[in-house]
Amino acid sequence: MYHVVAATTNPAKIKAITLAFTDVFGEENCRIEGVDVDSGISHQPLGSTETHTGARNRVMRARQVRPEANFWVGVEAGIEDSMTFAWMVIENPHLRGESRSASLVLPESILQGIKEGRELGDEMARLTGIQDIKRQGGAIGVFTDSKLTRTSVYYQALLLALVPFHNPIYSQPS
């Protein structure tokens, strides 16, 4: 059984990680554990580089907390230009897989709050009245009427980040 350490305690992210690993390796083959680790970046990452760094930092810190695990997974959401997105980083002791999620253009009313230093989740809560939205469907769920959610979008990107771990072409010599 694979011990998978999710570098988060966010239920929406853990659900996406659980779904992706279950689909790739089978439900009976994975045990997901969430750990609370710091990303080492700002609470509201801006730009692809900072967001990607946050996901990699989460993996590195999760590896320090649970070095005995088989996989470590970092998911970091950020904002670049006018869009929200997330980076996925998955490592095992020998390999790294990475992917970036789909992006959603945010309305100017949200972006103004971000420019003033507030986090996306706080802005969404202020405008919608939904508290702790980032631990649920997120901005994606609100703006798509729950046709997509943080979990569903992250799940897709996590499946892509897992490809090097199960596709034999990735292990062929060059």
Side-chain angles (χ1 to χ4, degrees), residues 60-83:
M60 177 186 67
R61 290 176 175 154
R63 285 183 84 149
Q64 292 168 346
V65 172
R66 294 286 186 274
E68 72 284 1
N70 302 106
F71 288 94
W72 303 271
V73 183
V75 176
E76 190 70 38
I79 296 176
E80 183 174 47
D81 299 322
S82 61
M83 292 183 266

PDB file of all heavy atoms in Angstrom, residues 60-83:
ATOM      1  N   MET A  60       8.707  19.501  -0.213  1.00  0.00           N
ATOM      2  CA  MET A  60       9.969  19.382   0.531  1.00  0.00           C
ATOM      3  C   MET A  60       9.709  19.299   2.035  1.00  0.00           C
ATOM      4  O   MET A  60      10.285  18.452   2.733  1.00  0.00           O
ATOM      5  CB  MET A  60      10.862  20.600   0.232  1.00  0.00           C
ATOM      6  CG  MET A  60      12.173  20.621   1.005  1.00  0.00           C
ATOM      7  SD  MET A  60      13.085  22.160   0.749  1.00  0.00           S
ATOM      8  CE  MET A  60      12.001  23.345   1.557  1.00  0.00           C
ATOM      9  N   ARG A  61       8.814  20.116   2.536  1.00  0.00           N
ATOM     10  CA  ARG A  61       8.526  20.115   3.973  1.00  0.00           C
ATOM     11  C   ARG A  61       7.743  18.879   4.388  1.00  0.00           C
ATOM     12  O   ARG A  61       7.938  18.349   5.489  1.00  0.00           O
ATOM     13  CB  ARG A  61       7.826  21.406   4.348  1.00  0.00           C
ATOM     14  CG  ARG A  61       8.813  22.568   4.239  1.00  0.00           C
ATOM     15  CD  ARG A  61       8.226  23.900   4.480  1.00  0.00           C
ATOM     16  NE  ARG A  61       9.323  24.868   4.463  1.00  0.00           N
ATOM     17  CZ  ARG A  61       9.191  26.135   4.167  1.00  0.00           C
ATOM     18  NH1 ARG A  61       8.007  26.634   3.884  1.00  0.00           N
ATOM     19  NH2 ARG A  61      10.235  26.945   4.158  1.00  0.00           N
ATOM     20  N   ALA A  62       6.854  18.402   3.531  1.00  0.00           N
ATOM     21  CA  ALA A  62       6.129  17.161   3.830  1.00  0.00           C
ATOM     22  C   ALA A  62       7.101  15.979   3.889  1.00  0.00           C
ATOM     23  O   ALA A  62       6.949  15.088   4.720  1.00  0.00           O
ATOM     24  CB  ALA A  62       5.042  16.915   2.784  1.00  0.00           C
ATOM     25  N   ARG A  63       8.102  16.000   3.023  1.00  0.00           N
ATOM     26  CA  ARG A  63       9.128  14.931   3.040  1.00  0.00           C
ATOM     27  C   ARG A  63       9.906  14.955   4.348  1.00  0.00           C
ATOM     28  O   ARG A  63      10.289  13.899   4.862  1.00  0.00           O
ATOM     29  CB  ARG A  63      10.094  15.083   1.872  1.00  0.00           C
ATOM     30  CG  ARG A  63       9.500  14.663   0.544  1.00  0.00           C
ATOM     31  CD  ARG A  63      10.515  14.756  -0.566  1.00  0.00           C
ATOM     32  NE  ARG A  63      11.318  13.544  -0.578  1.00  0.00           N
ATOM     33  CZ  ARG A  63      11.849  13.014  -1.659  1.00  0.00           C
ATOM     34  NH1 ARG A  63      11.698  13.590  -2.831  1.00  0.00           N
ATOM     35  NH2 ARG A  63      12.565  11.905  -1.582  1.00  0.00           N
ATOM     36  N   GLN A  64      10.119  16.152   4.897  1.00  0.00           N
ATOM     37  CA  GLN A  64      10.833  16.263   6.167  1.00  0.00           C
ATOM     38  C   GLN A  64       9.984  15.741   7.321  1.00  0.00           C
ATOM     39  O   GLN A  64      10.494  15.104   8.240  1.00  0.00           O
ATOM     40  CB  GLN A  64      11.235  17.721   6.421  1.00  0.00           C
ATOM     41  CG  GLN A  64      12.295  18.223   5.464  1.00  0.00           C
ATOM     42  CD  GLN A  64      12.492  19.728   5.528  1.00  0.00           C
ATOM     43  OE1 GLN A  64      11.685  20.473   6.085  1.00  0.00           O
ATOM     44  NE2 GLN A  64      13.595  20.189   4.936  1.00  0.00           N
ATOM     45  N   VAL A  65       8.674  15.987   7.263  1.00  0.00           N
ATOM     46  CA  VAL A  65       7.750  15.566   8.321  1.00  0.00           C
ATOM     47  C   VAL A  65       7.481  14.062   8.254  1.00  0.00           C
ATOM     48  O   VAL A  65       7.397  13.397   9.284  1.00  0.00           O
ATOM     49  CB  VAL A  65       6.424  16.361   8.225  1.00  0.00           C
ATOM     50  CG1 VAL A  65       5.373  15.824   9.178  1.00  0.00           C
ATOM     51  CG2 VAL A  65       6.662  17.842   8.486  1.00  0.00           C
ATOM     52  N   ARG A  66       7.329  13.522   7.043  1.00  0.00           N
ATOM     53  CA  ARG A  66       7.011  12.103   6.853  1.00  0.00           C
ATOM     54  C   ARG A  66       7.978  11.470   5.839  1.00  0.00           C
ATOM     55  O   ARG A  66       7.590  11.084   4.737  1.00  0.00           O
ATOM     56  CB  ARG A  66       5.571  11.924   6.348  1.00  0.00           C
ATOM     57  CG  ARG A  66       4.492  12.326   7.315  1.00  0.00           C
ATOM     58  CD  ARG A  66       4.351  11.318   8.445  1.00  0.00           C
ATOM     59  NE  ARG A  66       3.232  11.638   9.289  1.00  0.00           N
ATOM     60  CZ  ARG A  66       3.268  12.484  10.311  1.00  0.00           C
ATOM     61  NH1 ARG A  66       4.392  13.104  10.607  1.00  0.00           N
ATOM     62  NH2 ARG A  66       2.202  12.728  11.032  1.00  0.00           N
ATOM     63  N   PRO A  67       9.253  11.330   6.220  1.00  0.00           N
ATOM     64  CA  PRO A  67      10.237  10.803   5.265  1.00  0.00           C
ATOM     65  C   PRO A  67       9.991   9.348   4.857  1.00  0.00           C
ATOM     66  O   PRO A  67      10.486   8.900   3.823  1.00  0.00           O
ATOM     67  CB  PRO A  67      11.568  10.946   6.004  1.00  0.00           C
ATOM     68  CG  PRO A  67      11.212  11.000   7.449  1.00  0.00           C
ATOM     69  CD  PRO A  67       9.845  11.636   7.522  1.00  0.00           C
ATOM     70  N   GLU A  68       9.205   8.627   5.623  1.00  0.00           N
ATOM     71  CA  GLU A  68       8.951   7.212   5.333  1.00  0.00           C
ATOM     72  C   GLU A  68       7.884   7.009   4.252  1.00  0.00           C
ATOM     73  O   GLU A  68       7.661   5.880   3.797  1.00  0.00           O
ATOM     74  CB  GLU A  68       8.524   6.486   6.619  1.00  0.00           C
ATOM     75  CG  GLU A  68       7.126   6.815   7.113  1.00  0.00           C
ATOM     76  CD  GLU A  68       6.950   8.174   7.820  1.00  0.00           C
ATOM     77  OE1 GLU A  68       7.926   8.927   7.946  1.00  0.00           O
ATOM     78  OE2 GLU A  68       5.822   8.461   8.253  1.00  0.00           O
ATOM     79  N   ALA A  69       7.198   8.058   3.824  1.00  0.00           N
ATOM     80  CA  ALA A  69       6.105   7.935   2.853  1.00  0.00           C
ATOM     81  C   ALA A  69       6.629   7.498   1.485  1.00  0.00           C
ATOM     82  O   ALA A  69       7.824   7.572   1.195  1.00  0.00           O
ATOM     83  CB  ALA A  69       5.362   9.256   2.734  1.00  0.00           C
ATOM     84  N   ASN A  70       5.699   7.055   0.637  1.00  0.00           N
ATOM     85  CA  ASN A  70       6.030   6.676  -0.741  1.00  0.00           C
ATOM     86  C   ASN A  70       5.881   7.841  -1.715  1.00  0.00           C
ATOM     87  O   ASN A  70       6.578   7.896  -2.724  1.00  0.00           O
ATOM     88  CB  ASN A  70       5.119   5.536  -1.214  1.00  0.00           C
ATOM     89  CG  ASN A  70       5.227   4.331  -0.325  1.00  0.00           C
ATOM     90  OD1 ASN A  70       4.312   4.059   0.452  1.00  0.00           O
ATOM     91  ND2 ASN A  70       6.330   3.606  -0.402  1.00  0.00           N
ATOM     92  N   PHE A  71       4.924   8.743  -1.424  1.00  0.00           N
ATOM     93  CA  PHE A  71       4.672   9.913  -2.269  1.00  0.00           C
ATOM     94  C   PHE A  71       4.406  11.121  -1.378  1.00  0.00           C
ATOM     95  O   PHE A  71       3.830  10.985  -0.292  1.00  0.00           O
ATOM     96  CB  PHE A  71       3.420   9.716  -3.138  1.00  0.00           C
ATOM     97  CG  PHE A  71       3.581   8.727  -4.251  1.00  0.00           C
ATOM     98  CD1 PHE A  71       3.222   7.396  -4.074  1.00  0.00           C
ATOM     99  CD2 PHE A  71       4.051   9.131  -5.494  1.00  0.00           C
ATOM    100  CE1 PHE A  71       3.342   6.485  -5.088  1.00  0.00           C
ATOM    101  CE2 PHE A  71       4.175   8.215  -6.532  1.00  0.00           C
ATOM    102  CZ  PHE A  71       3.822   6.892  -6.329  1.00  0.00           C
ATOM    103  N   TRP A  72       4.772  12.282  -1.903  1.00  0.00           N
ATOM    104  CA  TRP A  72       4.459  13.556  -1.259  1.00  0.00           C
ATOM    105  C   TRP A  72       3.837  14.448  -2.326  1.00  0.00           C
ATOM    106  O   TRP A  72       4.323  14.503  -3.462  1.00  0.00           O
ATOM    107  CB  TRP A  72       5.711  14.204  -0.697  1.00  0.00           C
ATOM    108  CG  TRP A  72       6.423  13.318   0.282  1.00  0.00           C
ATOM    109  CD1 TRP A  72       6.224  13.247   1.630  1.00  0.00           C
ATOM    110  CD2 TRP A  72       7.432  12.346  -0.004  1.00  0.00           C
ATOM    111  NE1 TRP A  72       7.046  12.296   2.183  1.00  0.00           N
ATOM    112  CE2 TRP A  72       7.802  11.727   1.204  1.00  0.00           C
ATOM    113  CE3 TRP A  72       8.073  11.928  -1.182  1.00  0.00           C
ATOM    114  CZ2 TRP A  72       8.768  10.734   1.281  1.00  0.00           C
ATOM    115  CZ3 TRP A  72       9.037  10.934  -1.117  1.00  0.00           C
ATOM    116  CH2 TRP A  72       9.377  10.352   0.102  1.00  0.00           C
ATOM    117  N   VAL A  73       2.753  15.145  -1.957  1.00  0.00           N
ATOM    118  CA  VAL A  73       1.998  15.937  -2.924  1.00  0.00           C
ATOM    119  C   VAL A  73       1.818  17.357  -2.409  1.00  0.00           C
ATOM    120  O   VAL A  73       1.333  17.566  -1.296  1.00  0.00           O
ATOM    121  CB  VAL A  73       0.604  15.308  -3.187  1.00  0.00           C
ATOM    122  CG1 VAL A  73      -0.145  16.095  -4.263  1.00  0.00           C
ATOM    123  CG2 VAL A  73       0.719  13.839  -3.556  1.00  0.00           C
ATOM    124  N   GLY A  74       2.189  18.323  -3.246  1.00  0.00           N
ATOM    125  CA  GLY A  74       1.966  19.732  -2.941  1.00  0.00           C
ATOM    126  C   GLY A  74       1.028  20.345  -3.959  1.00  0.00           C
ATOM    127  O   GLY A  74       1.204  20.148  -5.174  1.00  0.00           O
ATOM    128  N   VAL A  75       0.030  21.058  -3.478  1.00  0.00           N
ATOM    129  CA  VAL A  75      -0.916  21.776  -4.332  1.00  0.00           C
ATOM    130  C   VAL A  75      -0.917  23.220  -3.852  1.00  0.00           C
ATOM    131  O   VAL A  75      -1.188  23.476  -2.675  1.00  0.00           O
ATOM    132  CB  VAL A  75      -2.340  21.181  -4.235  1.00  0.00           C
ATOM    133  CG1 VAL A  75      -3.331  22.003  -5.053  1.00  0.00           C
ATOM    134  CG2 VAL A  75      -2.349  19.717  -4.656  1.00  0.00           C
ATOM    135  N   GLU A  76      -0.616  24.135  -4.749  1.00  0.00           N
ATOM    136  CA  GLU A  76      -0.575  25.551  -4.373  1.00  0.00           C
ATOM    137  C   GLU A  76      -1.369  26.357  -5.389  1.00  0.00           C
ATOM    138  O   GLU A  76      -1.107  26.297  -6.584  1.00  0.00           O
ATOM    139  CB  GLU A  76       0.872  26.055  -4.331  1.00  0.00           C
ATOM    140  CG  GLU A  76       1.026  27.421  -3.735  1.00  0.00           C
ATOM    141  CD  GLU A  76       0.754  27.446  -2.231  1.00  0.00           C
ATOM    142  OE1 GLU A  76       1.127  26.493  -1.524  1.00  0.00           O
ATOM    143  OE2 GLU A  76       0.163  28.435  -1.765  1.00  0.00           O
ATOM    144  N   ALA A  77      -2.362  27.091  -4.896  1.00  0.00           N
ATOM    145  CA  ALA A  77      -3.175  27.951  -5.752  1.00  0.00           C
ATOM    146  C   ALA A  77      -2.602  29.359  -5.753  1.00  0.00           C
ATOM    147  O   ALA A  77      -2.076  29.830  -4.746  1.00  0.00           O
ATOM    148  CB  ALA A  77      -4.620  27.974  -5.252  1.00  0.00           C
ATOM    149  N   GLY A  78      -2.716  30.019  -6.886  1.00  0.00           N
ATOM    150  CA  GLY A  78      -2.204  31.374  -6.999  1.00  0.00           C
ATOM    151  C   GLY A  78      -2.987  32.179  -8.019  1.00  0.00           C
ATOM    152  O   GLY A  78      -3.959  31.701  -8.600  1.00  0.00           O
ATOM    153  N   ILE A  79      -2.516  33.388  -8.223  1.00  0.00           N
ATOM    154  CA  ILE A  79      -3.134  34.289  -9.195  1.00  0.00           C
ATOM    155  C   ILE A  79      -2.039  34.830 -10.097  1.00  0.00           C
ATOM    156  O   ILE A  79      -0.996  35.279  -9.615  1.00  0.00           O
ATOM    157  CB  ILE A  79      -3.881  35.437  -8.500  1.00  0.00           C
ATOM    158  CG1 ILE A  79      -5.043  34.858  -7.692  1.00  0.00           C
ATOM    159  CG2 ILE A  79      -4.373  36.469  -9.520  1.00  0.00           C
ATOM    160  CD1 ILE A  79      -5.796  35.854  -6.880  1.00  0.00           C
ATOM    161  N   GLU A  80      -2.288  34.751 -11.387  1.00  0.00           N
ATOM    162  CA  GLU A  80      -1.368  35.301 -12.377  1.00  0.00           C
ATOM    163  C   GLU A  80      -2.180  36.164 -13.328  1.00  0.00           C
ATOM    164  O   GLU A  80      -3.172  35.696 -13.903  1.00  0.00           O
ATOM    165  CB  GLU A  80      -0.673  34.173 -13.137  1.00  0.00           C
ATOM    166  CG  GLU A  80       0.348  34.675 -14.134  1.00  0.00           C
ATOM    167  CD  GLU A  80       1.113  33.540 -14.768  1.00  0.00           C
ATOM    168  OE1 GLU A  80       0.488  32.556 -15.202  1.00  0.00           O
ATOM    169  OE2 GLU A  80       2.340  33.653 -14.821  1.00  0.00           O
ATOM    170  N   ASP A  81      -1.737  37.409 -13.472  1.00  0.00           N
ATOM    171  CA  ASP A  81      -2.497  38.385 -14.249  1.00  0.00           C
ATOM    172  C   ASP A  81      -3.908  38.450 -13.654  1.00  0.00           C
ATOM    173  O   ASP A  81      -4.066  38.764 -12.504  1.00  0.00           O
ATOM    174  CB  ASP A  81      -2.475  38.054 -15.739  1.00  0.00           C
ATOM    175  CG  ASP A  81      -1.064  38.064 -16.310  1.00  0.00           C
ATOM    176  OD1 ASP A  81      -0.268  38.936 -15.900  1.00  0.00           O
ATOM    177  OD2 ASP A  81      -0.752  37.202 -17.146  1.00  0.00           O
ATOM    178  N   SER A  82      -4.918  38.084 -14.389  1.00  0.00           N
ATOM    179  CA  SER A  82      -6.291  38.159 -13.871  1.00  0.00           C
ATOM    180  C   SER A  82      -6.886  36.780 -13.608  1.00  0.00           C
ATOM    181  O   SER A  82      -8.091  36.648 -13.451  1.00  0.00           O
ATOM    182  CB  SER A  82      -7.171  38.910 -14.873  1.00  0.00           C
ATOM    183  OG  SER A  82      -7.189  38.215 -16.115  1.00  0.00           O
ATOM    184  N   MET A  83      -6.032  35.747 -13.551  1.00  0.00           N
ATOM    185  CA  MET A  83      -6.539  34.377 -13.447  1.00  0.00           C
ATOM    186  C   MET A  83      -6.074  33.655 -12.192  1.00  0.00           C
ATOM    187  O   MET A  83      -4.947  33.841 -11.743  1.00  0.00           O
ATOM    188  CB  MET A  83      -6.085  33.568 -14.657  1.00  0.00           C
ATOM    189  CG  MET A  83      -6.726  34.038 -15.936  1.00  0.00           C
ATOM    190  SD  MET A  83      -6.241  33.002 -17.316  1.00  0.00           S
ATOM    191  CE  MET A  83      -4.867  33.947 -17.928  1.00  0.00           C
TER     192      MET A  83
END
